Amino acid sequence: MYFNTFDLLITVTSFGCIPSQESHCDCFPTCYRKFSLIEKEKRSIQPIIYADNTQTLMECIDLAFQHKGLALNYQSESLVKRSLKVARNFTWNLQSHWQLVHLYFNCHVLQCPENVTMGTLVRDINFNYFSLYQQPIVATNYICVPEIGVFILNTDPVGFRNASLNCFHTTAESCVSLAHVASEKRTKFLSKLLKEHNQQHFQQNNNRTERVHLAYVDLQYNRTRSPNKMEFFNSMGESLDRIPYRAWEPGSPKASLQLINASCVALTIRSTWLTVDCQRKLPYICEIFTSSRNN
């Protein structure tokens, strides 16, 4: 077995499956976390986070879940390392070994999936390509956060309801909703996306682009649903009370007169959650889930 130590990003938590109720997506964990065969006799050259030789596809899939991979390459028969005596001209070191990983390992756990262009797939009759994403990602402006998922940062400000609807209508093929942030690593990584967006676009546009300080995520309070306490739910109706992690901005959740009946949650660049008026126009983060709408 072999770990890629080059450009390896932080290991993160398991996936969330919280699509819009309107989407009719099959997002039960047993279906949601399923690798689908996408291309035969093709191999993705997306960055590999782990490689090993396994006897079965299921063993390879287990490794992919263990190492939080979003896709994998698999060859049905285990590969045997070439003898150094045969490969006398081959320089045996970690870097060259990793560059030729397909010659030595039949299971490759990948950081990110292919998009609809399949631009990093190469012809290889020995391998098949599998992905957690049942449909190729059609969106062009998505951001793959390795080992967490695929997201879209929309910087045109809208209210919370329109943000939810816009996420839902992102693609006709995949389940999409506002991003779930109910874990420390998700909150920190998505907050980092906001900061990186600000840095990148300020450099490109000579400081003329407005900074993104807040972005809607998938948490909302409504008094009609929870009359006795301020309880937040995601779009699948799951209560935040079921999850131990909290990242409230000091002073949040607010119970001011303006927010007494309803409030929505925005992620800050400080990796905190801020309660705001749901009518407030803000950027928002969508999450593309692995399930397709019709599966």
Side-chain angles (χ1 to χ4, degrees), residues 183-194:
S183 76
E184 180 179 7
K185 289 178 180 177
R186 275 177 166 263
T187 293
K188 288 185 175 180
F189 265 98
L190 294 180
S191 179
K192 183 180 177 182
L193 288 185
L194 301 183

Side-chain angles (χ1 to χ4, degrees), residues 128-183:
N128 293 329
Y129 167 70
F130 297 79
S131 175
L132 272 177
Y133 290 79
Q134 297 172 8
Q135 295 290 334
I137 299 168
V138 177
T140 57
N141 58 337
Y142 72 91
I143 302 164
C144 175
V145 181
E147 307 167 18
I148 295 184
V150 176
F151 303 88
I152 300 173
L153 172 60
N154 293 276
T155 57
D156 293 333
V158 296
F160 183 86
R161 175 170 172 76
N162 283 337
S164 297
L165 291 174
N166 290 350
C167 287
F168 173 68
H169 292 296
T170 298
T171 169
E173 292 80 15
S174 301
C175 295
V176 187
S177 82
L178 285 170
H180 134 64
V181 290
S183 76

